[in-house]
Amino acid sequence: MHILVLGAGVVGTTTAWFLQKQGHQVTVVDRQNQAGLETSYANGGQISVSHAEPWANPSAPLKVLKWLTRADAPLLFRPTLDPAQWRWALSFLGECTSAKAAHNIRQMVNLGTYSRGQLQALRKDAGIEYDHLEKGILHFYTNPAEFDAAREPTRIMQSLGCDRQIIDADRAIELEPALKPIRNRIAGATYTSEDESGDARMFTQNLAQRCVEAGVAFRYGSQILNFERAGERVLGIQTLTDGRHETLRADAYVLSLGSYSAALARQLGIFLNIYPAKGYSITVPVKNEEAAFNVSLTDDEYKLVYSRLGDRIRVAGTAELSGYSRNLNYTRCRSIVRRTAEVMPDAGHWDQAEFWTGLRPTTPSNVPYIGKSHFANLYLNTGHGTLGWTHSCGSAAALADIIGGRRPEVDFAFSGL
């Protein structure tokens, strides 16, 4: 078939790769002039199966209330008049039960484990470099209550095959000596040796080049306006490119537009409960090699992730539910710098931090939409939230199987199946 993939982020680009591997003619459409320039541009860099505890869990409502008055809160809800925001928030509260959190952990661990394997196979097949490290991910806790709260999710992940181990502060320092400056404050940690890290933008752009070499067409600078339809079938998409309106047609379509997927889907009467969670990151040059980390880190109390990308340090996190604005909040930027400089003062040139913000397409459950829509030739691969990089290859491989009429190899609640 000829398939149009809408979106050239890490999810859309990996989708194009796996579809062309199965013999389809693929065209990718994106408003940017390159792949990976939106949410994939400067994310946290982790391939993190172990980061599977959803935001919606039994402890979340009280935390969100506590954080309402803090401008630098890890999860900040700024109420607006947007009905979509309130629908999302009410659905989020409905996901905060122990049973639903356990179900959602299962979805994310299964998809994450499968996706990591698919990434490793793709990396070997395509020969892609992207500053990746295979040294695991270490979650450290400076709040004893947060460490205790991590035990049950860790137990669930272990039961699902995720080798996330609970360790003490001494073992954490042994694994990552860069944490020595806060040794006396570490209440405990967990470590997942099979997790990885790498530059998502570099991966996406290098993979897009491999896709082109394999025959995939990329139409950059094309704004997607709306769908043309007849009954329960999509006939084409209307685009605007350099002032020219054009209708692009194909046999099938894949919606992978991140936070913008929901608005486009509504034109077809499809409701996707996706809302943008603005995330922040800083990127700084390494200052002292001996003081800098190599194991990717997660600071659970502050909801920050640390990745080593060659001679750069990337620290990303926090979430702001405030609409589609990408304006930088410098209070939140400075809070990331302040915390990372406190954790490892000599690791990076913290005064040279490059700030970035992007919109993560987040569902209330943190579980993405992957699979069929109720339109005969429209498929979904969107709503991955903070785990788009982690889940991209698995989502793409599974969706390619679904489009090809095969049952995916991973146990996951796919749409339309």
Side-chain angles (χ1 to χ4, degrees):
M1 291 190 293
H2 178 207
I3 302 174
L4 276 178
V5 176
L6 312 184
V10 68
V11 174
T13 303
T14 51
T15 299
W17 173 262
F18 281 95
L19 286 172
Q20 66 82 24
K21 291 288 285 185
Q22 294 197 9
H24 299 291
Q25 177 190 350
V26 184
T27 301
V28 183
V29 186
D30 197 277
R31 66 182 181 181
Q32 298 289 353
N33 60 13
Q34 273 186 296
L37 292 188
E38 297 214 17
T39 307
S40 307
Y41 184 85
N43 69 7
Q46 290 188 340
I47 302 297
S48 180
V49 178
S50 61
H51 204 86
E53 184 179 10
W55 293 353
N57 59 69
S59 66
L62 187 59
K63 287 182 180 179
V64 172
L65 283 175
K66 182 178 68 175
W67 290 335
L68 278 176
T69 58
R70 280 182 49 190
D72 63 346
L75 178 58
L76 182 62
F77 179 72
R78 291 190 182 278
T80 70
L81 296 178
D82 183 1
Q85 184 193 52
W86 288 96
R87 280 196 301 270
W88 189 97
L90 290 173
S91 297
F92 175 87
L93 291 175
E95 296 287 337
C96 288
T97 66
S98 296
K100 288 190 174 181
H103 170 80
N104 295 334
I105 288 174
R106 174 180 292 275
Q107 302 305 306
M108 290 192 287
V109 169
N110 287 351
L111 181 59
T113 304
Y114 175 67
S115 189
R116 187 176 59 200
Q118 290 293 323
L119 168 65
Q120 291 166 350
L122 186 159
R123 183 168 64 221
K124 182 178 179 180
D125 182 23
I128 290 180
E129 293 295 330
Y130 52 95
D131 282 338
H132 79 278
L133 290 175
E134 300 172 71
K135 297 193 175 184
I137 293 178
L138 191 154
H139 292 235
F140 66 91
Y141 300 83
T142 53
N143 182 323
E146 292 282 345
F147 179 51
D148 288 340
R151 293 182 182 275
E152 179 59 13
T154 299
R155 184 195 65 76
I156 295 172
M157 291 179 210
Q158 289 172 340
S159 72
L160 297 170
C162 176
D163 188 26
R164 181 176 175 178
Q165 301 297 319
I166 295 175
I167 60 176
D168 61 18
D170 288 336
R171 177 59 176 152
I173 300 300
E174 182 182 339
L175 286 166
E176 185 43 79
L179 291 173
K180 283 181 181 178
I182 60 166
R183 163 63 185 83
N184 294 333
R185 296 172 54 192
I186 296 177
T190 67
Y191 178 62
T192 311
S193 62
E194 295 180 342
D195 278 344
E196 304 182 3
S197 60
D199 188 323
R201 178 185 12 144
M202 187 184 299
F203 170 87
T204 303
Q205 293 181 349
N206 288 343
L207 183 62
Q209 181 57 43
R210 295 290 192 278
C211 285
V212 169
E213 293 165 3
V216 175
F218 282 78
R219 295 179 64 100
Y220 293 121
S222 293
Q223 184 180 353
I224 299 166
L225 302 177
N226 50 49
F227 289 105
E228 289 187 4
R229 59 179 286 188
E232 296 297 292
R233 191 170 185 85
V234 175
L235 298 180
I237 58 164
Q238 294 180 7
T239 64
L240 182 65
T241 308
D242 296 328
R244 291 184 298 105
H245 285 83
E246 187 176 3
T247 300
L248 304 181
R249 303 191 188 281
D251 300 307
Y253 304 80
V254 178
L255 183 58
S256 293
L257 289 173
S259 295
Y260 301 95
S261 296
L264 197 62
R266 277 198 299 272
Q267 297 180 8
L268 297 173
I270 298 172
F271 172 65
L272 301 179
N273 200 356
I274 296 172
Y275 198 77
K278 184 193 291 187
Y280 290 82
S281 77
I282 65 170
T283 305
V284 304
V286 170
K287 178 182 178 181
N288 182 343
E289 184 65 39
E290 292 185 2
F293 62 95
N294 283 290
V295 174
S296 192
L297 305 170
T298 298
D299 183 348
D300 268 87
E301 184 179 353
Y302 285 77
K303 306 302 182 222
L304 297 175
V305 300
Y306 301 58
S307 290
R308 180 70 181 275
L309 306 175
D311 59 358
R312 300 166 294 148
I313 289 172
R314 171 76 48 75
V315 184
T318 79
E320 184 179 321
L321 297 165
S322 58
Y324 287 81
S325 168
R326 291 184 58 190
N327 293 335
L328 284 169
N329 179 325
Y330 285 97
T331 297
R332 297 177 77 73
C333 294
R334 287 190 290 268
S335 71
I336 297 176
V337 174
R338 184 169 57 250
R339 175 62 173 178
T340 50
E342 174 187 312
V343 169
M344 46 189 73
D346 298 321
H349 291 282
W350 306 117
D351 58 338
Q352 298 179 28
E354 175 186 319
F355 300 138
W356 174 84
T357 185
L359 302 178
R360 307 186 192 104
T362 307
T363 65
S365 64
N366 286 160
V367 178
Y369 294 96
I370 307 167
K372 299 178 179 179
S373 74
H374 65 258
F375 280 73
N377 61 338
L378 177 65
Y379 298 84
L380 308 173
N381 197 3
T382 189
H384 294 75
T386 59
L387 294 175
W389 180 203
T390 297
H391 290 162
S392 58
C393 290
S395 300
L399 188 67
D401 282 340
I402 290 170
I403 292 174
R406 293 175 294 277
R407 184 84 187 183
E409 298 174 0
V410 55
D411 181 10
F412 182 82
F414 292 101
S415 304
L417 294 186

